[in-house]
Amino acid sequence: MKLAVGQHRVSRILLDFDLTIEFDNHATVSFSEVTIDDLTVDEDNQFEGLRALAALHGLVCEDADYDENGTLRMVFDGEHAVLARPREEVESWEFCAPDGSTVLCGPDGVVESWPAPEHHGAGAPTVEGLPSIGATVVRLSAGDDAAVEFSDGRTLLFELPLDSGYLVLRESVTWSSAASEGDATAEDWVVELSSGHVIFYRPRTV
């Protein structure tokens, strides 16, 4: 059975609690465990998975299908293969179409699907701005419109070096300010996280 991402370009890779591939038609496929070429990624090495999936940015999905046992296979530009097998106790993967209809591989490979909701929108827009103290980083994305997203709805629109991801995701803001000295200019924002990592950010508009 096919997923409606064939011949669509990968626009972003996202990491929150799962790894997600987003396509140029706004469809997404999320994984709790996935094999990218020869690398298997689960909860223990998500940041390695983020870096591996980032290599798919800009590539076209040639084929995406799943079988009755819940195994999902995807091929990108004939170069990269993505494979997701069922898991015993948790969901393995979830496909969300642009209209909001969903296909999900649950525990033990039970595949379920739901039609598009009656009222489907794009969700609440993110707002570029300084995050509040105590806000937590809830999502990282790489690719088109790369961003660091916070629990208070604020977003920093830039491509975070993926090697720094483990110092950023799920960390809370301990201090944030418009910088006026040090390594930044007056237009830069500075965000310090509980890991000690500091983000210098130049907003598009101040």
Side-chain angles (χ1 to χ4, degrees):
M1 291 159 277
K2 300 290 186 182
L3 296 181
V5 295
Q7 305 311 308
H8 284 281
R9 170 184 171 273
V10 176
S11 59
R12 286 198 302 171
I13 304 299
L14 305 104
L15 175 59
D16 41 34
F17 290 100
D18 293 323
L19 278 163
T20 299
I21 301 173
E22 182 177 274
F23 295 87
D24 58 8
N25 66 344
H26 303 296
T28 60
V29 184
S30 300
F31 306 94
S32 67
E33 181 178 288
V34 62
T35 299
I36 310 130
D37 298 325
D38 296 323
L39 173 67
T40 298
V41 178
D42 58 17
E43 298 84 354
D44 295 327
N45 62 340
Q46 286 182 323
F47 297 108
E48 189 177 1
L50 177 62
R51 292 191 293 271
L53 282 177
L56 303 181
H57 176 234
L59 300 184
V60 171
C61 181
E62 293 180 348
D63 191 40
D65 64 77
Y66 63 96
D67 61 30
E68 60 184 11
N69 298 316
T71 298
L72 170 64
R73 297 175 177 85
M74 307 173 76
V75 177
F76 295 86
D77 278 6
E79 299 177 25
H80 299 281
V82 171
L83 173 68
R85 294 185 175 89
R87 305 184 73 179
E88 290 185 5
E89 299 179 356
V90 297
E91 299 167 0
S92 171
W93 56 267
E94 179 180 8
F95 166 74
C96 186
D99 65 359
S101 57
T102 303
V103 180
L104 181 144
C105 178
D108 297 319
V110 177
V111 178
E112 300 179 88
S113 61
W114 294 270
E118 187 173 340
H119 302 288
H120 177 69
T126 56
V127 178
E128 186 182 27
L130 275 171
S132 56
I133 303 302
T136 302
V137 178
V138 294
R139 177 182 286 174
L140 305 176
S141 58
D144 300 354
D145 299 318
V148 177
E149 299 176 39
F150 296 83
S151 58
D152 62 357
R154 300 291 175 168
T155 297
L156 302 181
L157 299 171
F158 79 114
E159 187 104 27
L160 177 80
L162 297 184
D163 287 342
S164 301
Y166 74 100
L167 294 170
V168 175
L169 186 64
R170 304 184 189 101
E171 297 293 331
S172 58
V173 176
T174 57
W175 182 77
S176 64
S177 176
S180 60
E181 57 183 303
D183 296 327
T185 69
E187 291 82 21
D188 285 331
W189 293 344
V190 178
V191 178
E192 183 175 314
L193 301 173
S194 52
S195 64
H197 187 81
V198 178
I199 297 172
F200 292 104
Y201 176 65
R202 175 67 59 87
R204 297 179 182 180
T205 58
V206 177

